[in-house]
Amino acid sequence: MLHDVTIAISPGAREVHESRIRKTVEIIRSQSLSCAKCGTLAVPVFGTRNLYRCLNCARQATNAAHDIRASLTAVAVNSATKSTYYQKALVLLESQANRERLCQTTGSVSPTTDGPVTRSVSPR
């Protein structure tokens, strides 16, 4: 609660918070796969060792081992804070995925470009 109040009051704290969310997005993307069903981004599920969830079709599948929790040590030390940044980064990633899907259905160019992801998620 105090952390949220600080962010609301201090622009410097807000910048740090947003920077940590962007770093979390980078970490999640680096450990993500492509969904075998629809081809979009499948992110590692926090608290699991090899479970991924597609941001487009919500399909969950097991695949290569990941340790997203340990990777987020660059962003936060305790598990609760890591989970908070993970959830906020997922909101951002899902928003980007929805925007890209909308661009595909309307035929317009997507405002963001994600590099190709070569690994695929296998069925669970």
Side-chain angles (χ1 to χ4, degrees):
M1 178 76 168
L2 179 60
H3 183 66
D4 292 335
V5 171
T6 304
I7 290 170
I9 296 171
S10 168
R14 184 180 304 113
E15 290 173 17
V16 168
H17 181 69
E18 290 172 357
S19 172
R20 288 180 180 169
I21 293 171
R22 284 191 301 274
K23 179 67 176 168
T24 303
V25 166
E26 291 174 20
I27 292 168
I28 291 172
R29 280 192 181 168
S30 74
Q31 293 194 21
S32 294
L33 309 172
S34 292
C35 176
K37 182 177 180 183
C38 69
T40 57
L41 196 66
V43 298
V45 177
F46 190 83
T48 68
R49 302 286 298 158
N50 64 345
L51 187 63
Y52 295 81
R53 184 180 61 82
C54 178
L55 294 179
N56 181 44
C57 66
R59 180 172 183 243
Q60 289 192 354
T62 56
N63 204 307
H66 65 76
D67 197 353
I68 192 70
R69 184 180 296 175
S71 298
L72 292 179
T73 301
V75 177
V77 177
N78 70 43
S79 193
T81 306
K82 289 177 189 180
S83 177
T84 299
Y85 281 115
Y86 175 86
Q87 293 301 324
K88 290 181 181 198
L90 274 189
V91 169
L92 183 61
L93 285 166
E94 288 169 347
S95 160
Q96 290 172 350
N98 289 337
R99 196 170 40 236
E100 289 172 5
R101 197 173 5 202
L102 180 64
C103 289
Q104 289 174 352
T105 58
T106 62
S108 60
V109 177
S110 174
T112 60
T113 54
D114 297 326
V117 180
T118 56
R119 299 184 293 174
S120 294
V121 175
S122 302
R124 190 172 181 191

